[in-house]
């Protein structure tokens, strides 16, 4: 999906179904330690310059003075495009307090999924597994892991079939797995702490101890899970967010997808333009933004400059720009905007 969406010459599924957007975070893929730039984003106008270098040299211009004062020269945010061909391993990420305690990290890995669509694979529509069903305890979960009873683990989690446009917020501590066929934008705290409870991927690729417990060992890794259990209704109330129209103008609207009331760690909204429309002066109020053109083509204007944009383009909008204006051309245009953690 990712390659087809970006109009690649010969789209195919690989073993790395993710693209990290405007990323300053280095990926940790076992066996690929030599890929020193893996995960990092480079500039289009200066292809040998990592976005990270620009931000580190100009934190106030790039990120905003208030952000830089609170979070340093770091966006505090990671955005990914994720296109899963097979089910990803059952996993959990630490919440912020657990990440502080176990990984000495200022960030956990609460994440949210904005489903763009997906595809039916082997007769099943895209699904996700999320949240323990009633009856689960730490002892039972550890037993399922040591027995590698994958079916038992799957049955212990709720299964949801998301529709395009759905949003799910997966707070740190909530066990989950992304099923095959999902195509989404993921927004998250900027770490890569993933505790996996399967010793091999569904297609049989063995996972190293490190990939399973991230150095915590086979006992402490279970401290990363929250053992709260939920009925399906409770889980949906906790994890499923509802988009709402925040602003509307001539031929355009802005939909709030994730707000700081849902989580302090990030927010997300989407600008939708009809054919030939000019959008509002879209401002992030002194903060930076990461944008992805989800569909269509047109122009982005800032100051007296403009640039053509089209589906698949990824933009880092520095905080020093007061606003950008989008105009559509040859059809509707949709842009999703990802914003950094709240300041208060
Ligand atoms: O276990 P793998 O296949 O590496 O999946 C890892 C991916 O899982 C998803 O649930 C998200 O947490 C992504 O941010 C993460 O990169």
């Amino acid at each position: 999906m990712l390659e087809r969406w970006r109009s690649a010459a010969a789209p195919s599924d690989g073993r790395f179904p993710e693209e990290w957007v405007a990323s300053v975070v280095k990926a940790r893929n076992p066996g690929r330690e030599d890929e020193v730039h893996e995960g990092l984003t480079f500039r289009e106008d200066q292809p040998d310059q990592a976005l990270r270098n620009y931000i580190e040299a100009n934190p106030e211009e790039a990120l905003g003075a208030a952000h830089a004062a609170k979070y340093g020269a770091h966006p505090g945010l990671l955005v990914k495009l994720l296109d899963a061909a097979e089910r990803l391993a059952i996993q959990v990420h630490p919440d912020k307090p657990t990440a502080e305690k176990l990984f000495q990290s200022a960030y956990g890995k609460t994440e949210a999924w904005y489903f763009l669509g997906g595809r039916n694979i082997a007769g099943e529509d895209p699904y996700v597994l999320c949240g323990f069903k009633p009856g689960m305890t730490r002892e039972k979960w550890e037993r399922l892991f040591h027995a590698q009873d994958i079916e038992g683990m799957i049955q212990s989690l709720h299964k949801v079939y998301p529709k395009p446009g759905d949003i799910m917020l997966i707070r740190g501590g909530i066990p989950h797995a992304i099923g095959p066929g999902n195509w989404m934008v993921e927004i998250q705290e900027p770490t890569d702490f993933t505790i996996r409870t399967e010793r091999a991927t569904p297609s049989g690729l063995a996972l190293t101890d490190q990939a399973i417990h991230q150095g915590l060992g086979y006992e402490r890794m279970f401290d990363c899970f929250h053992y709260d259990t939920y009925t399906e209704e409770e889980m949906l109330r906790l994890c499923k967010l509802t988009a709402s129209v925040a602003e509307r103008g001539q031929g355009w609207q802005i939909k709030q997808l994730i707000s700081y009331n849902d989580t302090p760690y990030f927010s997300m909204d989407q600008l939708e333009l009809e054919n030939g429309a000019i959008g509002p002066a879209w401002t992030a109020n002194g903060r930076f933004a990461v944008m992805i053109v989800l569909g269509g083509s047109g122009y982005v204007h800032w100051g007296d400059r403009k640039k053509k944009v089209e589906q698949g383009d990824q933009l880092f909008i520095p905080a020093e720009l007061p606003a950008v204006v989008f105009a559509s051309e040859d059809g509707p245009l949709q842009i999703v905007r990802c914003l950094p953690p709240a300041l208060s």
Side-chain angles (χ1 to χ4, degrees), residues 276-287:
I278 299 177
W282 207 14
T283 174
N285 297 318
R287 311 213 63 200

Side-chain angles (χ1 to χ4, degrees), residues 226-241:
H226 291 182
Y227 295 94
D228 303 319
T229 61
Y230 307 96
T231 63
E232 184 172 359
E233 205 189 332
E234 288 166 340
M235 182 278 297
L236 289 173
R237 213 176 311 129
L238 180 76
C239 298
K240 202 159 175 292
L241 306 183

Side-chain angles (χ1 to χ4, degrees), residues 14-15 85-89 150 180 198-207:
R15 274 210 301 112
E86 67 165 14
R87 178 177 66 70
L88 306 190
I150 310 294
E198 296 178 65
R199 289 186 181 273
T201 65
S203 62
L205 193 71
L207 293 175

Side-chain angles (χ1 to χ4, degrees), residues 15 17-18 20 29 78 80 82 86-91 93 109 111 113 176-178 184 186 188 191-194 196 201 207:
R15 274 210 301 112
E18 297 182 6
W20 293 15
N29 285 319
L78 182 56
K80 300 177 179 176
L82 207 148
E86 67 165 14
R87 178 177 66 70
L88 306 190
I90 297 169
Q91 56 190 252
H93 311 294
K109 190 167 161 347
E111 62 191 39
W113 304 328
H176 59 271
I178 292 174
M184 64 172 81
E186 184 186 74
Q188 53 154 106
T191 72
D192 206 9
F193 303 130
T194 304
R196 300 175 176 89
T201 65
L207 293 175

Side-chain angles (χ1 to χ4, degrees), residues 65-220:
H67 181 102
K70 182 161 175 153
Y71 297 103
H74 196 293
L77 175 76
L78 182 56
V79 179
K80 300 177 179 176
L81 286 159
L82 207 148
D83 171 22
E86 67 165 14
R87 178 177 66 70
L88 306 190
I90 297 169
Q91 56 190 252
V92 77
H93 311 294
D95 62 15
K96 191 172 148 76
T98 309
E100 262 161 21
K101 191 165 141 221
L102 298 182
F103 296 101
Q104 295 73 50
S105 163
Y107 299 99
K109 190 167 161 347
T110 285
E111 62 191 39
W113 304 328
Y114 176 36
F115 296 93
L116 301 179
R119 48 187 163 147
N120 183 295
I121 291 189
E124 188 159 27
D125 284 335
Y127 66 84
V128 296
L129 304 172
C130 159
F132 286 131
K133 290 180 184 170
M136 183 49 65
T137 61
R138 176 169 178 151
E139 292 64 43
K140 283 190 193 166
W141 190 238
E142 287 193 26
R143 227 178 298 132
L144 288 172
F145 169 72
H146 291 296
Q148 278 299 285
D149 180 353
I150 310 294
E151 196 45 40
M153 292 184 213
I154 290 175
Q155 292 308 326
S156 307
L157 301 171
H158 290 286
K159 187 173 195 176
V160 182
Y161 290 91
K163 293 187 299 309
D166 281 358
I167 310 146
M168 288 185 75
L169 174 61
I170 309 298
R171 294 176 176 86
I174 304 272
H176 59 271
I178 292 174
N182 278 295
W183 166 225
M184 64 172 81
V185 176
E186 184 186 74
I187 182 168
Q188 53 154 106
E189 293 185 83
T191 72
D192 206 9
F193 303 130
T194 304
I195 304 297
R196 300 175 176 89
T197 54
E198 296 178 65
R199 289 186 181 273
T201 65
S203 62
L205 193 71
L207 293 175
T208 60
D209 293 346
Q210 179 69 23
I212 295 170
H213 61 54
Q214 297 290 334
L216 295 177
Y218 287 109
E219 177 56 35
R220 265 200 317 158

